[in-house]
Amino acid sequence: MRSVQEQQARVQAAAVAPRPIRVAIAEAQGLMCAEEVITERPLPGFDQAAIDGYAVRSVDVLAAGEDAEDAAGAISLPVVSTILAGERTPSRLQPRQAARVQTGAPMPTLADAVLPLRWTDGGQSRVRVLRGVRSGAYVRRTGDDVQPGDVAVRSGTIIGAAQVGLLAAVGRDRVLVHPRPRLTVLSVGGELVDVNRTPGNGQVYDVNSYALAAAARDAGAEVNRVGIVDSDPEKLREVVEGQLSRAEIVVIAGAVGGAAAEAVRAVLSELGEMEVARIAMHPGSVQGFGQLGRDGVPTFLLPANPVSALVVFEVMVRPLIRMSLGKRSPMRRIVPARALAPITSMPGRTGYLRGQLMRDSDTGEYLVQALGGAPGSSSHLLATLAEANCLVVVPAETEEIRTGELVDVAFLAQRG
C-alpha cells in the first residue's frame, strides 16, 4: 500500500502549467503574472495637488503665523485662477499669487506647495493665509509612485486588486499570465441519472460531476463538466480522447471498484499509462492516476462514493491545480486544534475526517469536533461533509485522538 505522500509526489511530478496567454487586466485577477511589466511613463505623470486648497509658492507664505487662529501674522494673496482635476491647459503662477486647486489638479508652473483650505479663510478672489507651508507640501510629484523603467508587476506575482490597479495606472490594458488549467469532469456508471430526471428503481443522481466541478472551480480551474458518459468502450474512448485534447487535467468519477470500473480502466489503458492502487488513506483508499494521450494529460480515477471522491479530490487533485496556477503553497493551511471528543481512525491509513473547527473566544485556541468517518460509521454521508469546515488529519500510526489532545486540521473554503 502506497503512502499518501508518495502518491502526492507522483501526482505533483506531472504538474505542467499551461502556456502563458495575454488577457485583459479585468480578467487577470487571481492569475500569476508571466512577464515583467516595465513602466514606460512616470506615475503620476505630472505634478498634482494632493488635497483641495491653494497652489502657492512656499516662499510667499512661509512668514505666515504658526497658529491658525492668529490673524495678526496672516498674509493675503490674490487668487488668479481655479484649476480643476483633469485641466489640460497649462497655467503659470507669478510671485505672490495663489490658484485654487482641486485634488488631482495639475500644479501651475512655479507653484511648489498646496495650502490646505483649513489654513486659510477660503477666499474666492483673495485668500488670507493663516499658516505657512514648506516646499513640496501636499504635492504629488511626477514619478513619486513609479519611474519609467521601474517594474510595476513582477513575473510570478499573483495578480490581485492592487496589481490590477497598478497595471491600469501605468496604462496597461492587457497582461501576460499563466491561465487557469482546464479541467474536465465526467462520471461513469450505469446507475446514474442527471438531476433533471427522476431516478428509477436502482438509479441514483449523478452527484459527482456537479460536486467535483464545483471543487475544481473553487481551486481555480476552468471547468468543463461533461456529466454522465456511457460506459460502452467505444463511446467512452471517443469522449475521453476528445477531452484529452482540450484539457490539462481530467477527472473521472466512478471508475474504481467493481467489474464496470475494470472495463473503464481497460479502455483508458489503451490511451496511456494508468494505474489503480491502494493508498494508505481513508476514505478513498482505492484510486487511480495516470497520464493519457499524446501530451500525457494527468488523469484521475475517483471512487463513485461522493464523499470519498471529494476527499480524494481535496488531497490529490486540488494541489495539482494550485501548482499549475503557480501558487507557492498548493496545500491547504494546517493548524493544530484540540479535540472536543474522541476521534477514532483506521490504523495504518491517514484519516481525512470531516469536522467543525471553532475557536475559543477566551484563549484563541482552535477546537475541533469530528462529524463522522470513523471505522464502522457511515463515511458516505454527504450531508455531514456539507456541514464540515475542515478535514481532521489523523496520522496513519494513530488509531485514536483522545479528548483534549491536539490534532492537525486542514481548513476548507470559508462559507458565506
Side-chain angles (χ1 to χ4, degrees):
M1 189 178 292
R2 186 177 296 151
S3 72
V4 171
Q5 292 73 23
E6 288 172 335
Q7 183 71 356
Q8 285 177 326
R10 184 169 179 268
V11 167
Q12 292 172 21
V16 178
R19 291 181 179 178
I21 60 173
R22 197 167 294 279
V23 301
I25 60 173
E27 301 171 1
Q29 188 170 1
L31 301 179
M32 186 171 70
C33 186
E35 64 171 323
E36 298 280 297
V37 180
I38 306 299
T39 306
E40 297 179 358
R41 301 182 182 87
L43 177 67
F46 54 89
D47 291 353
Q48 59 182 240
I51 60 171
D52 288 358
Y54 297 88
V56 296
R57 297 194 322 153
S58 58
V59 68
D60 293 335
V61 299
L62 275 177
E66 288 294 320
D67 187 349
E69 301 299 324
D70 179 15
I75 294 172
S76 179
L77 300 175
V79 180
V80 296
S81 63
T82 297
I83 307 174
L84 306 178
E87 181 67 55
R88 300 180 64 184
T89 304
S91 60
R92 183 181 180 87
L93 203 64
Q94 298 298 328
R96 299 193 60 77
Q97 290 182 344
R100 185 74 177 257
V101 290
Q102 282 186 344
T103 302
M107 293 288 289
T109 304
L110 295 188
D112 65 345
V114 174
L115 189 66
L117 288 174
R118 66 181 181 276
W119 294 351
T120 73
D121 66 350
Q124 298 296 317
S125 59
R126 196 167 190 90
V127 60
R128 188 167 62 176
V129 181
L130 304 178
R131 182 173 175 178
V133 289
R134 296 189 177 278
S135 180
Y138 304 107
V139 176
R140 293 186 65 210
R141 295 293 188 188
T142 302
D144 269 356
D145 281 354
V146 179
Q147 292 283 353
D150 286 352
V151 178
V153 179
R154 296 193 177 279
S155 178
T157 300
I158 302 300
I159 297 176
Q163 287 74 29
V164 171
L166 186 54
L167 288 167
V170 299
R172 288 290 296 269
D173 63 337
R174 302 182 73 80
V175 62
L176 193 68
V177 296
H178 294 288
R180 303 182 190 280
R182 297 169 297 173
L183 183 144
T184 289
V185 179
L186 52 91
S187 293
V188 294
E191 77 282 12
L192 300 177
V193 295
D194 202 4
V195 294
N196 59 6
R197 294 178 53 192
T198 301
N201 187 35
Q203 294 182 315
V204 296
Y205 286 125
D206 169 29
V207 173
N208 278 324
S209 72
Y210 287 97
L212 295 170
R217 290 190 193 96
D218 177 72
E222 179 184 320
V223 179
N224 174 33
R225 190 192 69 83
V226 175
I228 304 168
V229 177
D230 195 315
S231 55
D232 173 77
E234 187 174 333
K235 292 180 180 178
L236 177 61
R237 176 170 180 147
E238 181 182 351
V239 171
V240 174
E241 276 189 310
Q243 295 305 317
L244 291 173
S245 65
R246 66 188 67 173
E248 280 83 36
I249 302 171
V250 173
V251 175
I252 305 174
V256 290
E262 289 181 11
V264 170
R265 295 199 298 273
V267 172
L268 298 179
S269 64
E270 298 173 5
L271 301 175
E273 174 198 351
M274 176 57 65
E275 177 196 48
V276 174
R278 282 194 172 273
I279 309 303
M281 62 179 284
H282 76 95
S285 64
V286 181
Q287 53 188 269
F289 175 73
Q291 292 179 264
L292 304 184
R294 181 182 59 189
D295 297 324
V297 175
T299 302
F300 295 86
L301 306 183
L302 272 52
N305 180 314
V307 170
S308 298
L310 281 169
V311 170
V312 174
F313 183 97
E314 176 70 27
V315 177
M316 299 296 172
V317 186
R318 189 179 193 276
L320 186 67
I321 295 171
R322 306 298 284 174
M323 289 180 68
S324 296
L325 284 167
K327 302 292 184 181
R328 294 183 178 88
S329 300
M331 311 303 289
R332 294 278 195 186
R333 181 187 172 198
I334 300 288
V335 298
R338 202 167 295 281
L340 293 175
I343 302 172
T344 55
S345 185
M346 190 174 295
R349 300 185 187 182
T350 302
Y352 294 91
L353 312 180
R354 292 147 283 171
Q356 283 188 333
L357 187 68
M358 55 205 85
R359 203 161 194 176
D360 189 299
S361 59
D362 295 326
T363 66
E365 185 178 43
Y366 285 110
L367 309 172
V368 67
Q369 175 73 56
L371 297 178
S377 69
S378 297
S379 64
H380 66 281
L381 295 178
L382 194 59
T384 57
L385 186 62
E387 288 297 316
N389 63 2
C390 69
L391 287 178
V392 183
V393 184
V394 182
E397 63 274 11
T398 302
E399 190 170 348
E400 181 180 7
I401 303 294
R402 297 186 181 89
T403 301
E405 289 185 340
L406 291 175
V407 63
D408 282 345
V409 172
F411 278 108
L412 298 179
Q414 296 294 316
R415 298 194 298 271

